[in-house]
Amino acid sequence: MDFKTYQKKARETAQYPNLGSNNIYPTLGLVGEAGEVAEKVKKVIRDKNGIFDNESKLGIKKRVRRCIVVHIKSLYRIKFQFRGCCITKS
């Protein structure tokens, strides 16, 4: 799936007050999700001596994915399109 299609599909699930004219709510959602990522990393440092095992990596990956979804929804609101802005590593 390309970014344009993904962005449209992600937007379909957006549910928040004043949808389409409320920049604050999705921004707070993004910050909250980023905080979840930070918490996962903090717990690896605290509880696993900084060793990122498969369970830790999977948990972080899920939270980062959620950050991306929330971010895409936020950018769709301001008509920002991802198409052509990503760099791929070969």
Side-chain angles (χ1 to χ4, degrees), residues 9-88:
K9 291 207 176 281
R11 179 67 167 90
E12 290 171 6
T13 64
Q15 295 180 359
Y16 54 86
N18 301 318
L19 184 64
S21 63
N22 182 349
N23 293 323
I24 301 300
Y25 192 87
T27 302
L28 292 173
L30 177 59
V31 171
E33 293 297 337
E36 294 282 340
V37 173
E39 275 295 312
K40 295 251 181 225
V41 172
K42 181 188 83 173
K43 288 177 181 178
V44 169
I45 293 167
R46 183 191 67 201
D47 301 338
K48 299 181 179 182
N49 296 317
I51 298 170
F52 290 83
D53 58 15
N54 286 336
E55 179 185 5
S56 301
K57 289 177 186 177
L58 180 61
I60 292 167
K61 183 178 179 179
K62 286 179 181 179
R63 298 286 24 145
V64 169
R65 185 180 304 130
R66 185 70 188 133
C67 283
I68 292 168
V69 170
V70 171
H71 189 56
I72 286 172
K73 287 178 186 178
S74 299
L75 292 176
Y76 188 87
R77 153 66 183 94
I78 61 171
K79 308 280 191 281
F80 180 89
Q81 297 294 321
F82 274 98
R83 183 181 60 241
C85 72
C86 295
I87 299 171
T88 58

